[in-house]
Amino acid sequence: SIAESNNSIKVEGVFDHNETIKSLDGIENFGGYSSDLFKDASAIIAIGDNQLRKTVAKTIDHSFGKLIHSTSVIDRLSSIDVGSVVMHNAVIQRNTKIGKHCIINTSSCVDHDCLIGDFVHVAPNTTVCGGVTIGSGTLVGAAAVIIPQITIGTNVVIGAGAVINQDIPDGATVVGNPGKIIVK
């Protein structure tokens, strides 16, 4: 639906190993990935799992595009790197940098001056306040809130609805309000 919202983007095909999927919304599934098909097309990896998305990205020979839904709002001084997807009604404010292969999911807000690492997933209805840094591979759960000027490490899992009011080290799992580290 993101591609459909941008009339200039045509989806040429889908690569999915699941042979029971013959097509996706009328778009043919060509099975496992082939670098020989659609050589001039840009690719997007439509996998929500950050680590799996990273693994698959290493196997793709196509150049990567990005998908930005027409209802999203992105400040002109923010940047979004290749492979990233910005979903319906997401907001990305001024001077924010979104890394490669990120998902900024439905109705999420990433405020000003944030740095979002590669392969990050910001789940639906999440609020990332100004000046926040999120390390690569991190999942920020649905409706989580990260207060201003917080640094989140790499490969962190922040639970749905968590309120993060302290810096979080690499590899931690955080849940609750206020957020408590339950795994280091």
Side-chain angles (χ1 to χ4, degrees):
S1 68
I2 298 170
E4 288 174 355
S5 80
N6 298 289
N7 293 328
S8 62
I9 299 173
K10 181 179 186 301
V11 178
E12 299 287 343
V14 174
F15 296 112
D16 191 317
H17 289 284
N18 185 344
E19 294 177 13
T20 63
I21 299 172
K22 301 299 180 198
S23 68
L24 182 65
D25 296 332
I27 301 165
E28 184 177 354
N29 177 15
F30 290 89
Y33 173 71
S34 171
S35 61
D36 295 330
L37 294 175
F38 314 111
K39 291 182 182 200
D40 295 328
S42 296
I44 292 289
I45 302 170
I47 298 172
D49 180 284
N50 294 339
Q51 298 308 317
L52 183 54
R53 197 165 59 254
K54 183 175 183 178
T55 299
V56 169
K58 293 175 186 175
T59 69
I60 304 296
D61 290 329
H62 283 75
S63 62
F64 289 102
K66 51 187 157 186
L67 284 177
I68 300 171
H69 195 274
S70 62
T71 61
S72 64
V73 178
I74 301 167
D75 187 88
R76 67 178 181 83
L77 295 180
S78 289
S79 64
I80 300 166
D81 215 330
V82 297
S84 290
V85 177
V86 179
M87 305 292 269
H88 308 63
N89 299 313
V91 176
I92 299 172
Q93 294 288 12
R94 187 157 287 222
N95 295 322
T96 287
K97 292 181 177 27
I98 307 293
K100 294 177 175 74
H101 301 284
C102 291
I103 299 170
I104 307 301
N105 220 315
T106 308
S107 297
S108 289
C109 179
V110 181
D111 213 2
H112 63 89
D113 302 300
C114 290
L115 297 172
I116 310 298
D118 298 339
F119 300 98
V120 168
H121 186 162
V122 176
N125 292 307
T126 295
T127 300
V128 179
C129 292
V132 168
T133 299
I134 300 177
S136 65
T138 290
L139 168 64
V140 182
V145 175
I146 304 173
I147 69 164
Q149 306 301 319
I150 295 294
T151 298
I152 308 293
T154 62
N155 301 312
V156 169
V157 175
I158 296 174
V163 176
I164 307 303
N165 62 1
Q166 63 179 322
D167 291 350
I168 306 297
D170 294 347
T173 299
V174 185
V175 297
N177 178 6
K180 292 192 180 4
I181 298 172
I182 61 168
V183 175
K184 278 191 179 184

